[in-house]
Every structure is written in C-alpha cells, then in structure tokens.
Amino acid sequence: MQIYGLDFTSAPSLKKPITCAKCRLAGGALHLEAITALESFPAFEDFLAQPGSWVAGLDFPFGQPRKLVENLVWPETWAGYVSLLSVGGRTGSPTTGLTRSEFDNLLRDYRAARPKGDKQHLRRTDKLAGSRSPMMMSGVPVGKMFFEGAPRLLASSASILPCNPQDDPRVLLEAYPRLIARRWIGDAGYKTEDRRRQTLDKQYARAGILRGLRSPEAAEYYGFTIHFAPWTETFIDDGSGDWLDALLCAVQAAWAYSQPAGNYSIPASCDPLEGWIVDPLLFT
C-alpha cells in the first residue's frame, strides 16, 4: 500500500513548503521512497487529487471542538460547518463564506465573551494526545492550518476518517508526530523554525527519535519495521523537523491502515464532527 505523511503549513512557499514523505508498506516493512516539497496550495490540491489507492496522514486538526460548533450554532456535521469556510484559490471554492481574517475575528470575539479558563476548547482527541486547541490562530497556529486544510480535504472527495467517510480508495487521516517523538525522547524539544535555537540538543533529540524508529521495540509496537537509511543525515540536519515530522505522520498512517479490525484504529466512540488523531496511544 502507498502511504504518505505530510507535514502541513498554513502558508506553503519555496522557503516553507508542505513536506511530503512517500512510503510503501509491504511485507511487514515501511520503506521511505521519496520526500517532496509542495510549495503552494495548488500543489497540495494536486496531491489530494492523484488517483489510486493510498493512505495519507496529515499533521493538522481536521475538525473543531463540538462545544465551539454548538455554541456558534454551526451545522452539526463536519462537512456542513467546513463548507462555511471560503478558501481563496481552491478549486471549487465557494464565492461566499468566512475568509481567514473573518474566521480569526470570529474566534477572537468568541474567546473575549467566554469566562477565564473556558476560551480555547479542546477536542476529546486533543485531551488524550496533549495537542493544541484547533481554535489557536497565533503562536502554534493550528487554527490557520485547519482553516486552510479542512476545506481542501472536503473538496478532494477523498475519504476523510472519521469526519467524512466516502467510498473512495484515497484515505486521509489526522496525524500528530509529537506522539511518536514523546515515546523516544519524552518532552524534549527536537525542532524549531528559529535558526538561532536550532541547537545541538535538538539535533541529538532527532537522532534519538531515529534510533527509536529503527529499534526492535518500534517494530513490535507498530507491527512493521521502518526503513529510511538514505535520509538519516538529512533528518538529523533539518532543524525545522519538517522532514522528520513527515516521516512520523507516515508511520502513524501506516499503523492505522494495518489494524486488523479495518477501522484505521479509530474507536467507535469518537465524535466524527471533531475528528481523531491516529496513534497506538489513542486507540482505546
């Protein structure tokens, strides 16, 4: 099976592209075949439109918390409320809908009216994974990633699990590479966009993650061995961590695909309006 892992960004460019790891899962092994850069949203849309049978793990929140959706009186289906967003430049983009600045303002006004401690909601999967609120539009701007990513997923007509299942051989899953990193290095930092902070300790941390992926423990944990030798030095030298995160997303997608129940590791109790991060730690 063809497996992809994508490290997403809300503003892809030549300097900061969406990083895509192309892998092949066969015979109990996941082989990294190539890493490519998607330098624009049209390139990302072309990736989503490619034919064939494949599974991709993408590093951004597919959905918003149910509490936010209900309080804003949005449609109570994932496709319904994602359709309210207007993404410029997307093929088939609606002529009306919230722009990114309007979405940002909406969330800002919403937070301003909320009591302290109840301003940035989390999805159930965020609470379990220790991930950021998809409402965040600054700092770690996962809200911007949701805004730019989710409507493009919807427009692709691929099967988006568990948010919008379709009878389509292209399967899109939400990944969170930090969960894999924590298994091998705990809460140590391993990446940063700030070149001044791309220090040796983070380089050592990336090397530690790679050692973990090559270990017998990883093969037993995920159910397959992971092969990436030609890219080892690149992963270690890339201070942004984008290349490594793309591989980690592919590992999570491959693990989800390989689950014998055929449910991509997504528990029946999850809320499809919010989405779900695929990882063994969250398979409850």
Side-chain angles (χ1 to χ4, degrees), residues 86-163:
S86 177
V87 179
R90 173 168 57 83
T91 301
S93 177
T95 55
T96 60
L98 291 171
T99 64
R100 190 155 107 175
S101 62
E102 289 170 340
F103 180 64
D104 191 3
N105 290 335
L106 175 69
L107 293 182
R108 184 181 297 111
D109 292 343
Y110 177 86
R111 288 190 296 268
R114 303 292 300 177
K116 185 177 181 180
D118 191 29
K119 294 179 180 291
Q120 300 246 71
H121 309 317
L122 296 170
R123 303 172 297 166
R124 179 184 168 212
T125 196
D126 297 319
K127 294 175 182 178
L128 293 172
S131 52
R132 307 273 184 169
S133 168
M135 296 171 59
M136 286 187 63
M137 298 293 283
S138 59
V140 182
V142 289
K144 293 179 181 179
M145 296 180 197
F146 160 78
F147 181 90
E148 297 292 352
R152 290 181 165 90
L153 301 191
L154 178 60
S156 74
S157 75
S159 186
I160 305 156
L161 301 182
C163 303

Side-chain angles (χ1 to χ4, degrees), residues 64-76:
Q64 288 293 325
R66 174 171 284 277
K67 186 173 185 177
L68 175 71
V69 173
E70 291 180 344
N71 287 346
L72 292 177
V73 198
W74 280 354
E76 291 193 24

Side-chain angles (χ1 to χ4, degrees), residues 46-237:
D46 289 343
F47 166 82
L48 294 174
Q50 66 179 315
S53 179
W54 49 264
V55 178
L58 297 90
D59 180 20
F60 70 86
F62 286 7
Q64 288 293 325
R66 174 171 284 277
K67 186 173 185 177
L68 175 71
V69 173
E70 291 180 344
N71 287 346
L72 292 177
V73 198
W74 280 354
E76 291 193 24
T77 66
W78 181 85
Y81 74 81
V82 169
S83 296
L84 300 177
L85 309 179
S86 177
V87 179
R90 173 168 57 83
T91 301
S93 177
T95 55
T96 60
L98 291 171
T99 64
R100 190 155 107 175
S101 62
E102 289 170 340
F103 180 64
D104 191 3
N105 290 335
L106 175 69
L107 293 182
R108 184 181 297 111
D109 292 343
Y110 177 86
R111 288 190 296 268
R114 303 292 300 177
K116 185 177 181 180
D118 191 29
K119 294 179 180 291
Q120 300 246 71
H121 309 317
L122 296 170
R123 303 172 297 166
R124 179 184 168 212
T125 196
D126 297 319
K127 294 175 182 178
L128 293 172
S131 52
R132 307 273 184 169
S133 168
M135 296 171 59
M136 286 187 63
M137 298 293 283
S138 59
V140 182
V142 289
K144 293 179 181 179
M145 296 180 197
F146 160 78
F147 181 90
E148 297 292 352
R152 290 181 165 90
L153 301 191
L154 178 60
S156 74
S157 75
S159 186
I160 305 156
L161 301 182
C163 303
N164 196 42
Q166 301 292 323
D167 184 17
D168 194 290
R170 300 165 299 151
V171 176
L172 302 172
L173 303 168
E174 183 176 337
Y176 184 47
R178 169 63 73 171
L179 286 175
I180 297 180
R182 284 184 193 146
R183 183 169 185 85
W184 311 115
I185 62 170
D187 291 327
Y190 68 97
K191 60 180 181 177
T192 179
E193 296 295 334
D194 185 348
R195 290 185 176 274
R196 296 169 298 179
R197 298 171 58 204
Q198 292 178 356
T199 51
L200 280 176
D201 60 330
K202 291 183 175 62
Q203 192 175 72
Y204 294 151
R206 291 192 295 276
I209 295 169
L210 296 172
R211 284 194 299 273
L213 293 178
R214 287 193 294 260
S215 70
E217 181 185 354
E220 181 177 357
Y221 188 62
Y222 295 110
F224 48 81
T225 55
I226 305 165
H227 302 269
F228 52 83
W231 289 270
T232 299
E233 292 304 317
T234 301
F235 288 140
I236 292 174
D237 291 341

